[in-house]
Each structure stands twice: as C-alpha cells, then as structure tokens.
Amino acid sequence: MFHFSNIVRTKGDPKIVEGGPSLKQPADQLARALGWFSIGLGIVEFFAPRRVTETLGMEGRETMVRAFGLREILAGVMSLSVDKNAGLWARVGGDGLDAAALLSGLTSDNPRKSNVALALLMVGGIAVLDYRAAQETKPQRPPPNARRKLYPNRSGFPKGPQAAKARAKEMIQHATAGVAS
Amino acid sequence: MKALVWHGKEDIRCDTVTDPEIQDPRDAIIKVTSCAICGSDLHLFHNFIPGMMPGDIMGHETMGEVVEVGPGVDGKLKKGDRIVVPFTIICGECDQCKRGNFSVCETTNRKKHLADKVFGHSTAGLFGYTHLTGGYPGGQAEYLRVPFADATHIKVPAGIPDEQLLFLSDIFPTGWQAAVQCDIVPTDTVAIWGCGPVGQMALRSAILLGANQVIAIDCLPERLSMAEAAGATTINFENESVLERLKELTDGRGPEKCIDCVGMESHVMASWPDTLLDRAKQMVMLESDRPHVLREMIYVCRPGGIISVPGVYSGFSDKLPMGAFMNKGLTMRTGQTHVNRWTDDLLRRIEQGEIDPSFVITHTVPLKQGPEMYQVFRDKRDSCVKVVLKP
C-alpha cells in the first residue's frame, strides 16, 4: 500500500521505507468487512425486496424487507465509522430481528422453507461474527466510576495563582495609567 | 529516520521513512528533540478532516536543533540553533504576514488551489495537517524539514527545558490568542468550554490578562482538577446543568466572554439530543462538525459579549442559532493561531517565571510508542491530558 502512496509524495518529502506495526486489530478488520457486508445486503433488501421475498416464499412482506434494508445500511455505515462498536451491536440486534422474521416464514405450507432454513443458518453464523466483533471492539475508555489521577498541584504558575492574578492587576493598572498620562 | 505516519482512520504507525532533504534555499532541517500530540491531531486520527493521504507524517508541535540550513536562510538561523517550530508556516513577506495575520499567510500553502476551492481563499501551510494546508510532512519524527525557515521559527535560549518551551509551537499561543480575542476587562467572567491542553492554556491566559472570574467546563475530573489548580471555578457537565450553573455564577447575566476549546468533536450525551443528531449526521456525512458548544455559547453568552473559537472546525455545522447570535449582538472571533504574533511576549513570560506551560504534560514516551499514545489520549485513559514524544 505504501508503495502507491510513495508515488504521489512531493519530490524530496520523506517516503516510507519500511512500515511499522498497525494499530488495527483483526477485530477492526472484521468490523470493516461486516460493515461493508451490511451495506451490500441493505442495498439488495432496499432496492429489490420482491426478489428477496420470492426467494424465501414470503411474498407480501416487501415493506418489512425494505425497512430491514434501511436498518442494515445504517448499521453498516455505523460499523465503518469511529463508533463501530455501536454499529456492531446494532447489527447484533438486527440479527435477532432477522431471525424472528425468518422463523415466521418457516411454516409447513411455505414451498421455499428450505431457503428460509438456509437463510436462518446464515443469520446465525453472521450473528456469531457480529457478536465477536462487538465484544472485541469495545471502547477502551475508562468507566465513569473509574479512579482517576487528579492534578491539584499543577497550577502552571510558578509563583502561584494568587501572584498571577496580582501581576495581571498590576499590568492593567500600569496600562491604564499609561493611557491616562 | 522514524516517523509517525498516517495510514488511514485510526491507523497511525511508527514507520521508517527517508530523511527529509533541503528542497528550497529557504529550508532548514532540524533534529527533533521533543514533539507532542495535539488534540487536533485526533481529528485526523478519526479522519474527520478531509485531505489526508496514507503516508503523511503527523505532528505540528515540534522543537529541535538546526542541523542543516539552505543558502537562502540568510544568516537568520545557523547549525546548532535551538528552535521551536510554529505550526503555521510563514513567509514573513506577504501582505498578511506584514499585518501579523500569520495563519493566513498567502505564500506558504503549496497546494493553494485545493484550499482556494474549499475555503474560498488559501490559508497558510501547516505541518502535518492535510493536503488542504500544503501536505507538509509533520514533526512527529526524528528530523523535520522547516520550509521558509528564515521566518518560520522561534529561537529559544539554552538552559530552559524543552518541556517549558515546546508548547510555544501551538497550544500556548493558541490559548493566549483565544483569550486576547476576548478583549478581557477586569470585570469580565470568561467561560471556557473544554479543559484539554488548549483549554488549560486559555484559562491561564485569561487569568494573566486579568479576568475577574474564569469558569472551566468539562466532564473529566483530572482536567477539572488541573483547571481548579490555576484558580478557575469548574463545572462538570455530567453532574450539573451548564446553563443553570453559569447563570448562578454570573447573577443571571451570563458570561461576558466565552471560549470554545472543544471544536468539531463535541461530547455526545443522550440528555443532549442535538449531539445525538449531529453524531448521526456526521456519520453519514450530512454534517462535518458537531457544534453543540457553539450553540450553548451563543445561548448563554451575555448580550454584547464575545465568543472566541480556537477549537478546530472543518466544514459545515448545522442548526446554529443565528437569530440569538444576531439579536444578542454577539461578536465571534476565530482562526488558526498567528503563532509568531504572540511568541516574543510568551517566551518572555516563561523566562520571567510568570507561567510554566509544562504543567500540562502527563505522559512522556519515546516516539515509537506514539501510535499507542494516540489511543490513550483519545480514550482519556490513565488520566491523560498531554503527551510529549521523544524521538
């Protein structure tokens, strides 16, 4: 990758000779893949809901599929953002909704129930990945009740805050007197 | 040499890169002795500001020793000089530089055409801060090329540690300019949103400029304790209402002067619905900035007051209450810092012991630990306020 970026560097600017370790963890890569997958699936569901319902033998549920598509797109965008953890948890919740909707189509009179079963299996697999990625990308921020170091002695004024205030007052008086004279 | 290199969103690496070279007679090369991670570097870390490219070297708070000078530096610098590098690259000759408006120098942005398109007019070139401001390699590295080095430097004396001088490069003059822009008079209450490094400098500057009362607003106990140490009254917005508390502290009038040291990534809280909407819009690129602080300042500022904005905004902000802003007769002053306009005075204050900016440093680590420290600083782990890197 850096070989390409080196091509567009201004002549004379430093170019990468050897890349260092990346901050990205495998879970970040997984989150990214799931984000794009979510957007792809969402586009299909939103723009071709009829194809989806026909494949699953669940005709008449196009509006629901379209809504699910919108949800997938939003969760996908969120999973690709800096708030990826929220996006991944949204996907986990979405997997539950998908599973519930698919289960309602798993009836004996559905001629495509084998497709529904396959879809359920896929949702289960994806849900495991979503859950794993969500667990592993938890924000590292300390909890609100965590013990924090305090800095009560760091005034930044070597002579103390009171002396700094007095000095400021003195400067203002000096400036005012200068203007008056 | 080693340098911290941007590879994409949340991906900064300590890479080996080629050493910088003199490209222009006015260049100098410095051996970096100290550099720091700035809060505004986090906007790049999050890829919220457009114009970064993989391979860009980060960093705009740097100081070091001159090791090579071009023939056009004209005796202003020589090998061995100790300098702090201002984050704004200046020519010292254009009309704006002559007016002291160094951060809008008309010469130094080598990708001027991009900035002209985006901002209407180009601003100065900046170190390590996107290709909109020239795509200059930054100073989180072992060596740095300083373009227009005859003007772009602050010569500093030996005998004062790096830690006291390094912040002349950005956060100290930035906080100072934010306070100066407020035209502080001795009866003023100055309210400062955000107690990160710039907020800490701004509140101390407001005290040095004679404000009657300084109020610091944040939610992190360590930052609030640092603000209290300097004599500020603090508001923890997670525990109390900023609007009510400010009213209470100003007898219902509101602060005369308000300073936004937060910028485009304001805190998101469920109890502030506008922040949730901003975050959602920012995520789908319908809005580039989260201007909750600006909204709050406009609402709470005393009529006729001044709003000073050193916090970085990158593009578009929605739902700004312009009606209140206009009808209350407020004035807004903002801008990147005209660093060299202030540094003579600030250096003198450091030398005379009026202020010691090193109070803000909480972590000092080798350069190679830089990538991890971006995460620590972003997540406010280990009560981190300011990170200094040693190449």
Side-chain angles (χ1 to χ4, degrees), chain A residues 49-84:
Chain A
R50 196 159 177 80
R51 293 287 293 273
V52 176
T53 54
E54 280 172 3
T55 308
L56 297 170
M58 295 169 73
E59 289 86 348
R61 308 255 190 111
E62 285 76 17
T63 309
M64 183 190 72
V65 171
R66 190 163 269 165
F68 278 19
L70 191 62
R71 188 205 71 216
E72 286 281 2
I73 292 168
L74 291 176
V77 169
M78 221 193 284
S79 303
L80 293 173
S81 79
V82 291
D83 293 327
K84 56 179 168 287

PDB file of all heavy atoms in Angstrom, chain A residues 49-84:
ATOM      1  N   PRO A  49     -36.691  -5.760  -2.848  1.00  0.00           N
ATOM      2  CA  PRO A  49     -37.338  -6.542  -1.774  1.00  0.00           C
ATOM      3  C   PRO A  49     -38.142  -7.723  -2.332  1.00  0.00           C
ATOM      4  O   PRO A  49     -38.262  -8.768  -1.689  1.00  0.00           O
ATOM      5  CB  PRO A  49     -38.236  -5.514  -1.083  1.00  0.00           C
ATOM      6  CG  PRO A  49     -38.452  -4.435  -2.067  1.00  0.00           C
ATOM      7  CD  PRO A  49     -37.236  -4.393  -2.916  1.00  0.00           C
ATOM      8  N   ARG A  50     -38.674  -7.552  -3.537  1.00  0.00           N
ATOM      9  CA  ARG A  50     -39.511  -8.618  -4.109  1.00  0.00           C
ATOM     10  C   ARG A  50     -38.684  -9.869  -4.387  1.00  0.00           C
ATOM     11  O   ARG A  50     -39.137 -10.989  -4.150  1.00  0.00           O
ATOM     12  CB  ARG A  50     -40.174  -8.086  -5.387  1.00  0.00           C
ATOM     13  CG  ARG A  50     -41.319  -8.925  -5.833  1.00  0.00           C
ATOM     14  CD  ARG A  50     -42.298  -8.222  -6.761  1.00  0.00           C
ATOM     15  NE  ARG A  50     -43.326  -9.182  -7.169  1.00  0.00           N
ATOM     16  CZ  ARG A  50     -44.338  -9.507  -6.416  1.00  0.00           C
ATOM     17  NH1 ARG A  50     -44.494  -8.931  -5.221  1.00  0.00           N
ATOM     18  NH2 ARG A  50     -45.225 -10.393  -6.831  1.00  0.00           N
ATOM     19  N   ARG A  51     -37.461  -9.660  -4.898  1.00  0.00           N
ATOM     20  CA  ARG A  51     -36.586 -10.804  -5.158  1.00  0.00           C
ATOM     21  C   ARG A  51     -36.314 -11.556  -3.853  1.00  0.00           C
ATOM     22  O   ARG A  51     -36.282 -12.791  -3.842  1.00  0.00           O
ATOM     23  CB  ARG A  51     -35.249 -10.337  -5.761  1.00  0.00           C
ATOM     24  CG  ARG A  51     -35.337  -9.736  -7.156  1.00  0.00           C
ATOM     25  CD  ARG A  51     -35.605 -10.821  -8.186  1.00  0.00           C
ATOM     26  NE  ARG A  51     -34.492 -11.739  -8.327  1.00  0.00           N
ATOM     27  CZ  ARG A  51     -33.471 -11.529  -9.141  1.00  0.00           C
ATOM     28  NH1 ARG A  51     -33.422 -10.433  -9.877  1.00  0.00           N
ATOM     29  NH2 ARG A  51     -32.503 -12.410  -9.245  1.00  0.00           N
ATOM     30  N   VAL A  52     -36.165 -10.807  -2.796  1.00  0.00           N
ATOM     31  CA  VAL A  52     -35.865 -11.434  -1.503  1.00  0.00           C
ATOM     32  C   VAL A  52     -37.075 -12.240  -1.020  1.00  0.00           C
ATOM     33  O   VAL A  52     -36.943 -13.411  -0.635  1.00  0.00           O
ATOM     34  CB  VAL A  52     -35.473 -10.361  -0.451  1.00  0.00           C
ATOM     35  CG1 VAL A  52     -35.253 -10.989   0.920  1.00  0.00           C
ATOM     36  CG2 VAL A  52     -34.232  -9.598  -0.886  1.00  0.00           C
ATOM     37  N   THR A  53     -38.248 -11.608  -1.062  1.00  0.00           N
ATOM     38  CA  THR A  53     -39.447 -12.312  -0.539  1.00  0.00           C
ATOM     39  C   THR A  53     -39.788 -13.532  -1.404  1.00  0.00           C
ATOM     40  O   THR A  53     -40.203 -14.561  -0.870  1.00  0.00           O
ATOM     41  CB  THR A  53     -40.663 -11.367  -0.469  1.00  0.00           C
ATOM     42  OG1 THR A  53     -40.867 -10.773  -1.752  1.00  0.00           O
ATOM     43  CG2 THR A  53     -40.477 -10.288   0.579  1.00  0.00           C
ATOM     44  N   GLU A  54     -39.585 -13.425  -2.716  1.00  0.00           N
ATOM     45  CA  GLU A  54     -39.861 -14.584  -3.592  1.00  0.00           C
ATOM     46  C   GLU A  54     -38.917 -15.738  -3.272  1.00  0.00           C
ATOM     47  O   GLU A  54     -39.332 -16.889  -3.208  1.00  0.00           O
ATOM     48  CB  GLU A  54     -39.701 -14.164  -5.060  1.00  0.00           C
ATOM     49  CG  GLU A  54     -40.928 -13.433  -5.597  1.00  0.00           C
ATOM     50  CD  GLU A  54     -40.706 -12.850  -6.987  1.00  0.00           C
ATOM     51  OE1 GLU A  54     -39.613 -13.074  -7.557  1.00  0.00           O
ATOM     52  OE2 GLU A  54     -41.608 -12.173  -7.486  1.00  0.00           O
ATOM     53  N   THR A  55     -37.650 -15.396  -3.065  1.00  0.00           N
ATOM     54  CA  THR A  55     -36.653 -16.440  -2.762  1.00  0.00           C
ATOM     55  C   THR A  55     -37.011 -17.166  -1.469  1.00  0.00           C
ATOM     56  O   THR A  55     -36.791 -18.363  -1.327  1.00  0.00           O
ATOM     57  CB  THR A  55     -35.249 -15.804  -2.631  1.00  0.00           C
ATOM     58  OG1 THR A  55     -35.004 -15.020  -3.790  1.00  0.00           O
ATOM     59  CG2 THR A  55     -34.169 -16.854  -2.485  1.00  0.00           C
ATOM     60  N   LEU A  56     -37.606 -16.427  -0.555  1.00  0.00           N
ATOM     61  CA  LEU A  56     -37.924 -17.014   0.756  1.00  0.00           C
ATOM     62  C   LEU A  56     -39.369 -17.502   0.843  1.00  0.00           C
ATOM     63  O   LEU A  56     -39.794 -18.017   1.879  1.00  0.00           O
ATOM     64  CB  LEU A  56     -37.675 -15.977   1.864  1.00  0.00           C
ATOM     65  CG  LEU A  56     -36.232 -15.507   2.028  1.00  0.00           C
ATOM     66  CD1 LEU A  56     -36.161 -14.323   2.981  1.00  0.00           C
ATOM     67  CD2 LEU A  56     -35.341 -16.635   2.532  1.00  0.00           C
ATOM     68  N   GLY A  57     -40.122 -17.342  -0.236  1.00  0.00           N
ATOM     69  CA  GLY A  57     -41.528 -17.736  -0.195  1.00  0.00           C
ATOM     70  C   GLY A  57     -42.335 -16.913   0.786  1.00  0.00           C
ATOM     71  O   GLY A  57     -43.271 -17.411   1.405  1.00  0.00           O
ATOM     72  N   MET A  58     -41.948 -15.680   0.971  1.00  0.00           N
ATOM     73  CA  MET A  58     -42.628 -14.827   1.962  1.00  0.00           C
ATOM     74  C   MET A  58     -43.200 -13.593   1.277  1.00  0.00           C
ATOM     75  O   MET A  58     -43.053 -12.459   1.779  1.00  0.00           O
ATOM     76  CB  MET A  58     -41.654 -14.430   3.086  1.00  0.00           C
ATOM     77  CG  MET A  58     -41.180 -15.611   3.901  1.00  0.00           C
ATOM     78  SD  MET A  58     -39.798 -15.223   5.008  1.00  0.00           S
ATOM     79  CE  MET A  58     -40.612 -14.270   6.265  1.00  0.00           C
ATOM     80  N   GLU A  59     -43.875 -13.800   0.152  1.00  0.00           N
ATOM     81  CA  GLU A  59     -44.433 -12.679  -0.600  1.00  0.00           C
ATOM     82  C   GLU A  59     -45.402 -11.873   0.277  1.00  0.00           C
ATOM     83  O   GLU A  59     -46.052 -12.434   1.164  1.00  0.00           O
ATOM     84  CB  GLU A  59     -45.166 -13.168  -1.852  1.00  0.00           C
ATOM     85  CG  GLU A  59     -44.259 -13.702  -2.947  1.00  0.00           C
ATOM     86  CD  GLU A  59     -43.909 -15.182  -2.777  1.00  0.00           C
ATOM     87  OE1 GLU A  59     -44.180 -15.738  -1.684  1.00  0.00           O
ATOM     88  OE2 GLU A  59     -43.359 -15.783  -3.703  1.00  0.00           O
ATOM     89  N   GLY A  60     -45.458 -10.580   0.002  1.00  0.00           N
ATOM     90  CA  GLY A  60     -46.331  -9.696   0.776  1.00  0.00           C
ATOM     91  C   GLY A  60     -45.617  -8.984   1.912  1.00  0.00           C
ATOM     92  O   GLY A  60     -46.172  -8.126   2.582  1.00  0.00           O
ATOM     93  N   ARG A  61     -44.342  -9.356   2.150  1.00  0.00           N
ATOM     94  CA  ARG A  61     -43.589  -8.736   3.251  1.00  0.00           C
ATOM     95  C   ARG A  61     -42.533  -7.746   2.719  1.00  0.00           C
ATOM     96  O   ARG A  61     -41.509  -7.510   3.360  1.00  0.00           O
ATOM     97  CB  ARG A  61     -42.865  -9.810   4.077  1.00  0.00           C
ATOM     98  CG  ARG A  61     -43.741 -10.944   4.546  1.00  0.00           C
ATOM     99  CD  ARG A  61     -44.035 -10.772   6.039  1.00  0.00           C
ATOM    100  NE  ARG A  61     -44.676 -11.944   6.566  1.00  0.00           N
ATOM    101  CZ  ARG A  61     -44.083 -12.769   7.411  1.00  0.00           C
ATOM    102  NH1 ARG A  61     -42.857 -12.536   7.819  1.00  0.00           N
ATOM    103  NH2 ARG A  61     -44.736 -13.819   7.875  1.00  0.00           N
ATOM    104  N   GLU A  62     -42.802  -7.202   1.522  1.00  0.00           N
ATOM    105  CA  GLU A  62     -41.780  -6.342   0.890  1.00  0.00           C
ATOM    106  C   GLU A  62     -41.464  -5.097   1.734  1.00  0.00           C
ATOM    107  O   GLU A  62     -40.306  -4.682   1.816  1.00  0.00           O
ATOM    108  CB  GLU A  62     -42.234  -5.906  -0.518  1.00  0.00           C
ATOM    109  CG  GLU A  62     -42.130  -6.988  -1.579  1.00  0.00           C
ATOM    110  CD  GLU A  62     -43.243  -8.028  -1.478  1.00  0.00           C
ATOM    111  OE1 GLU A  62     -44.261  -7.739  -0.815  1.00  0.00           O
ATOM    112  OE2 GLU A  62     -43.105  -9.123  -2.047  1.00  0.00           O
ATOM    113  N   THR A  63     -42.504  -4.514   2.337  1.00  0.00           N
ATOM    114  CA  THR A  63     -42.260  -3.286   3.120  1.00  0.00           C
ATOM    115  C   THR A  63     -41.321  -3.579   4.290  1.00  0.00           C
ATOM    116  O   THR A  63     -40.395  -2.820   4.568  1.00  0.00           O
ATOM    117  CB  THR A  63     -43.602  -2.736   3.664  1.00  0.00           C
ATOM    118  OG1 THR A  63     -44.504  -2.657   2.566  1.00  0.00           O
ATOM    119  CG2 THR A  63     -43.435  -1.358   4.277  1.00  0.00           C
ATOM    120  N   MET A  64     -41.553  -4.721   4.932  1.00  0.00           N
ATOM    121  CA  MET A  64     -40.703  -5.093   6.061  1.00  0.00           C
ATOM    122  C   MET A  64     -39.253  -5.311   5.582  1.00  0.00           C
ATOM    123  O   MET A  64     -38.294  -4.836   6.205  1.00  0.00           O
ATOM    124  CB  MET A  64     -41.217  -6.370   6.715  1.00  0.00           C
ATOM    125  CG  MET A  64     -40.427  -6.774   7.943  1.00  0.00           C
ATOM    126  SD  MET A  64     -40.857  -8.417   8.517  1.00  0.00           S
ATOM    127  CE  MET A  64     -40.108  -9.436   7.257  1.00  0.00           C
ATOM    128  N   VAL A  65     -39.096  -5.972   4.456  1.00  0.00           N
ATOM    129  CA  VAL A  65     -37.745  -6.237   3.929  1.00  0.00           C
ATOM    130  C   VAL A  65     -37.051  -4.917   3.598  1.00  0.00           C
ATOM    131  O   VAL A  65     -35.864  -4.735   3.892  1.00  0.00           O
ATOM    132  CB  VAL A  65     -37.822  -7.155   2.678  1.00  0.00           C
ATOM    133  CG1 VAL A  65     -36.458  -7.248   1.986  1.00  0.00           C
ATOM    134  CG2 VAL A  65     -38.297  -8.541   3.071  1.00  0.00           C
ATOM    135  N   ARG A  66     -37.826  -4.005   3.011  1.00  0.00           N
ATOM    136  CA  ARG A  66     -37.243  -2.696   2.678  1.00  0.00           C
ATOM    137  C   ARG A  66     -36.784  -1.969   3.972  1.00  0.00           C
ATOM    138  O   ARG A  66     -35.707  -1.389   4.014  1.00  0.00           O
ATOM    139  CB  ARG A  66     -38.282  -1.855   1.933  1.00  0.00           C
ATOM    140  CG  ARG A  66     -37.712  -0.611   1.344  1.00  0.00           C
ATOM    141  CD  ARG A  66     -38.628  -0.035   0.302  1.00  0.00           C
ATOM    142  NE  ARG A  66     -38.318  -0.546  -1.017  1.00  0.00           N
ATOM    143  CZ  ARG A  66     -39.128  -0.442  -2.054  1.00  0.00           C
ATOM    144  NH1 ARG A  66     -40.316   0.114  -1.918  1.00  0.00           N
ATOM    145  NH2 ARG A  66     -38.767  -0.895  -3.218  1.00  0.00           N
ATOM    146  N   ALA A  67     -37.615  -2.032   4.987  1.00  0.00           N
ATOM    147  CA  ALA A  67     -37.239  -1.395   6.270  1.00  0.00           C
ATOM    148  C   ALA A  67     -35.987  -2.061   6.844  1.00  0.00           C
ATOM    149  O   ALA A  67     -35.077  -1.387   7.350  1.00  0.00           O
ATOM    150  CB  ALA A  67     -38.393  -1.501   7.267  1.00  0.00           C
ATOM    151  N   PHE A  68     -35.940  -3.395   6.723  1.00  0.00           N
ATOM    152  CA  PHE A  68     -34.747  -4.110   7.207  1.00  0.00           C
ATOM    153  C   PHE A  68     -33.512  -3.672   6.409  1.00  0.00           C
ATOM    154  O   PHE A  68     -32.409  -3.572   6.943  1.00  0.00           O
ATOM    155  CB  PHE A  68     -34.942  -5.627   7.086  1.00  0.00           C
ATOM    156  CG  PHE A  68     -35.731  -6.230   8.236  1.00  0.00           C
ATOM    157  CD1 PHE A  68     -36.525  -5.436   9.059  1.00  0.00           C
ATOM    158  CD2 PHE A  68     -35.680  -7.591   8.487  1.00  0.00           C
ATOM    159  CE1 PHE A  68     -37.249  -5.989  10.108  1.00  0.00           C
ATOM    160  CE2 PHE A  68     -36.390  -8.160   9.539  1.00  0.00           C
ATOM    161  CZ  PHE A  68     -37.176  -7.357  10.350  1.00  0.00           C
ATOM    162  N   GLY A  69     -33.722  -3.401   5.124  1.00  0.00           N
ATOM    163  CA  GLY A  69     -32.607  -2.957   4.270  1.00  0.00           C
ATOM    164  C   GLY A  69     -32.055  -1.628   4.749  1.00  0.00           C
ATOM    165  O   GLY A  69     -30.844  -1.443   4.853  1.00  0.00           O
ATOM    166  N   LEU A  70     -32.976  -0.739   5.080  1.00  0.00           N
ATOM    167  CA  LEU A  70     -32.555   0.579   5.578  1.00  0.00           C
ATOM    168  C   LEU A  70     -31.766   0.421   6.883  1.00  0.00           C
ATOM    169  O   LEU A  70     -30.716   1.039   7.083  1.00  0.00           O
ATOM    170  CB  LEU A  70     -33.797   1.444   5.804  1.00  0.00           C
ATOM    171  CG  LEU A  70     -33.539   2.924   6.075  1.00  0.00           C
ATOM    172  CD1 LEU A  70     -32.848   3.568   4.883  1.00  0.00           C
ATOM    173  CD2 LEU A  70     -34.854   3.643   6.357  1.00  0.00           C
ATOM    174  N   ARG A  71     -32.287  -0.468   7.735  1.00  0.00           N
ATOM    175  CA  ARG A  71     -31.605  -0.726   9.006  1.00  0.00           C
ATOM    176  C   ARG A  71     -30.185  -1.266   8.790  1.00  0.00           C
ATOM    177  O   ARG A  71     -29.224  -0.846   9.424  1.00  0.00           O
ATOM    178  CB  ARG A  71     -32.427  -1.740   9.798  1.00  0.00           C
ATOM    179  CG  ARG A  71     -31.971  -1.979  11.207  1.00  0.00           C
ATOM    180  CD  ARG A  71     -32.395  -3.354  11.693  1.00  0.00           C
ATOM    181  NE  ARG A  71     -31.622  -4.405  11.036  1.00  0.00           N
ATOM    182  CZ  ARG A  71     -32.104  -5.589  10.687  1.00  0.00           C
ATOM    183  NH1 ARG A  71     -33.366  -5.904  10.890  1.00  0.00           N
ATOM    184  NH2 ARG A  71     -31.325  -6.480  10.121  1.00  0.00           N
ATOM    185  N   GLU A  72     -30.085  -2.191   7.809  1.00  0.00           N
ATOM    186  CA  GLU A  72     -28.762  -2.776   7.502  1.00  0.00           C
ATOM    187  C   GLU A  72     -27.788  -1.695   7.020  1.00  0.00           C
ATOM    188  O   GLU A  72     -26.618  -1.687   7.407  1.00  0.00           O
ATOM    189  CB  GLU A  72     -28.894  -3.839   6.394  1.00  0.00           C
ATOM    190  CG  GLU A  72     -29.526  -5.137   6.821  1.00  0.00           C
ATOM    191  CD  GLU A  72     -28.565  -6.061   7.580  1.00  0.00           C
ATOM    192  OE1 GLU A  72     -27.412  -5.675   7.799  1.00  0.00           O
ATOM    193  OE2 GLU A  72     -29.005  -7.147   7.982  1.00  0.00           O
ATOM    194  N   ILE A  73     -28.289  -0.802   6.170  1.00  0.00           N
ATOM    195  CA  ILE A  73     -27.407   0.252   5.634  1.00  0.00           C
ATOM    196  C   ILE A  73     -26.915   1.147   6.766  1.00  0.00           C
ATOM    197  O   ILE A  73     -25.722   1.438   6.876  1.00  0.00           O
ATOM    198  CB  ILE A  73     -28.135   1.085   4.548  1.00  0.00           C
ATOM    199  CG1 ILE A  73     -28.376   0.217   3.313  1.00  0.00           C
ATOM    200  CG2 ILE A  73     -27.331   2.329   4.163  1.00  0.00           C
ATOM    201  CD1 ILE A  73     -29.324   0.821   2.288  1.00  0.00           C
ATOM    202  N   LEU A  74     -27.841   1.556   7.649  1.00  0.00           N
ATOM    203  CA  LEU A  74     -27.447   2.437   8.756  1.00  0.00           C
ATOM    204  C   LEU A  74     -26.457   1.745   9.692  1.00  0.00           C
ATOM    205  O   LEU A  74     -25.448   2.337  10.094  1.00  0.00           O
ATOM    206  CB  LEU A  74     -28.686   2.895   9.542  1.00  0.00           C
ATOM    207  CG  LEU A  74     -29.618   3.847   8.779  1.00  0.00           C
ATOM    208  CD1 LEU A  74     -30.855   4.160   9.606  1.00  0.00           C
ATOM    209  CD2 LEU A  74     -28.895   5.138   8.413  1.00  0.00           C
ATOM    210  N   ALA A  75     -26.734   0.474   9.998  1.00  0.00           N
ATOM    211  CA  ALA A  75     -25.818  -0.262  10.888  1.00  0.00           C
ATOM    212  C   ALA A  75     -24.458  -0.429  10.209  1.00  0.00           C
ATOM    213  O   ALA A  75     -23.409  -0.360  10.863  1.00  0.00           O
ATOM    214  CB  ALA A  75     -26.412  -1.615  11.251  1.00  0.00           C
ATOM    215  N   GLY A  76     -24.479  -0.621   8.904  1.00  0.00           N
ATOM    216  CA  GLY A  76     -23.225  -0.781   8.156  1.00  0.00           C
ATOM    217  C   GLY A  76     -22.406   0.491   8.196  1.00  0.00           C
ATOM    218  O   GLY A  76     -21.194   0.463   8.472  1.00  0.00           O
ATOM    219  N   VAL A  77     -23.071   1.625   7.952  1.00  0.00           N
ATOM    220  CA  VAL A  77     -22.363   2.915   7.980  1.00  0.00           C
ATOM    221  C   VAL A  77     -21.765   3.133   9.372  1.00  0.00           C
ATOM    222  O   VAL A  77     -20.617   3.545   9.519  1.00  0.00           O
ATOM    223  CB  VAL A  77     -23.325   4.071   7.592  1.00  0.00           C
ATOM    224  CG1 VAL A  77     -22.700   5.424   7.881  1.00  0.00           C
ATOM    225  CG2 VAL A  77     -23.700   3.967   6.119  1.00  0.00           C
ATOM    226  N   MET A  78     -22.558   2.805  10.394  1.00  0.00           N
ATOM    227  CA  MET A  78     -22.083   2.998  11.769  1.00  0.00           C
ATOM    228  C   MET A  78     -20.883   2.081  12.058  1.00  0.00           C
ATOM    229  O   MET A  78     -19.926   2.486  12.706  1.00  0.00           O
ATOM    230  CB  MET A  78     -23.229   2.686  12.740  1.00  0.00           C
ATOM    231  CG  MET A  78     -23.291   3.673  13.896  1.00  0.00           C
ATOM    232  SD  MET A  78     -24.345   3.127  15.217  1.00  0.00           S
ATOM    233  CE  MET A  78     -25.955   3.406  14.576  1.00  0.00           C
ATOM    234  N   SER A  79     -20.940   0.856  11.520  1.00  0.00           N
ATOM    235  CA  SER A  79     -19.831  -0.085  11.764  1.00  0.00           C
ATOM    236  C   SER A  79     -18.542   0.372  11.089  1.00  0.00           C
ATOM    237  O   SER A  79     -17.451  -0.029  11.490  1.00  0.00           O
ATOM    238  CB  SER A  79     -20.188  -1.483  11.240  1.00  0.00           C
ATOM    239  OG  SER A  79     -21.371  -1.927  11.830  1.00  0.00           O
ATOM    240  N   LEU A  80     -18.660   1.185  10.051  1.00  0.00           N
ATOM    241  CA  LEU A  80     -17.465   1.685   9.363  1.00  0.00           C
ATOM    242  C   LEU A  80     -16.960   2.993   9.982  1.00  0.00           C
ATOM    243  O   LEU A  80     -15.895   3.479   9.615  1.00  0.00           O
ATOM    244  CB  LEU A  80     -17.771   1.922   7.881  1.00  0.00           C
ATOM    245  CG  LEU A  80     -18.073   0.669   7.062  1.00  0.00           C
ATOM    246  CD1 LEU A  80     -18.523   1.045   5.663  1.00  0.00           C
ATOM    247  CD2 LEU A  80     -16.855  -0.241   6.991  1.00  0.00           C
ATOM    248  N   SER A  81     -17.741   3.568  10.888  1.00  0.00           N
ATOM    249  CA  SER A  81     -17.357   4.858  11.476  1.00  0.00           C
ATOM    250  C   SER A  81     -16.498   4.634  12.728  1.00  0.00           C
ATOM    251  O   SER A  81     -16.203   3.494  13.092  1.00  0.00           O
ATOM    252  CB  SER A  81     -18.610   5.656  11.857  1.00  0.00           C
ATOM    253  OG  SER A  81     -19.135   5.165  13.066  1.00  0.00           O
ATOM    254  N   VAL A  82     -16.108   5.748  13.391  1.00  0.00           N
ATOM    255  CA  VAL A  82     -15.342   5.590  14.636  1.00  0.00           C
ATOM    256  C   VAL A  82     -16.204   5.004  15.754  1.00  0.00           C
ATOM    257  O   VAL A  82     -15.687   4.530  16.756  1.00  0.00           O
ATOM    258  CB  VAL A  82     -14.689   6.911  15.107  1.00  0.00           C
ATOM    259  CG1 VAL A  82     -13.583   7.335  14.191  1.00  0.00           C
ATOM    260  CG2 VAL A  82     -15.703   8.014  15.258  1.00  0.00           C
ATOM    261  N   ASP A  83     -17.525   5.041  15.574  1.00  0.00           N
ATOM    262  CA  ASP A  83     -18.421   4.423  16.563  1.00  0.00           C
ATOM    263  C   ASP A  83     -18.767   2.997  16.151  1.00  0.00           C
ATOM    264  O   ASP A  83     -19.906   2.566  16.255  1.00  0.00           O
ATOM    265  CB  ASP A  83     -19.718   5.245  16.685  1.00  0.00           C
ATOM    266  CG  ASP A  83     -19.461   6.594  17.291  1.00  0.00           C
ATOM    267  OD1 ASP A  83     -18.562   6.679  18.136  1.00  0.00           O
ATOM    268  OD2 ASP A  83     -20.143   7.559  16.915  1.00  0.00           O
ATOM    269  N   LYS A  84     -17.771   2.254  15.670  1.00  0.00           N
ATOM    270  CA  LYS A  84     -18.065   0.930  15.111  1.00  0.00           C
ATOM    271  C   LYS A  84     -18.698  -0.015  16.118  1.00  0.00           C
ATOM    272  O   LYS A  84     -19.524  -0.842  15.750  1.00  0.00           O
ATOM    273  CB  LYS A  84     -16.834   0.305  14.476  1.00  0.00           C
ATOM    274  CG  LYS A  84     -15.629   0.167  15.365  1.00  0.00           C
ATOM    275  CD  LYS A  84     -14.497  -0.491  14.585  1.00  0.00           C
ATOM    276  CE  LYS A  84     -13.194  -0.391  15.311  1.00  0.00           C
ATOM    277  NZ  LYS A  84     -12.593   0.927  15.308  1.00  0.00           N
TER     278      LYS A  84
END
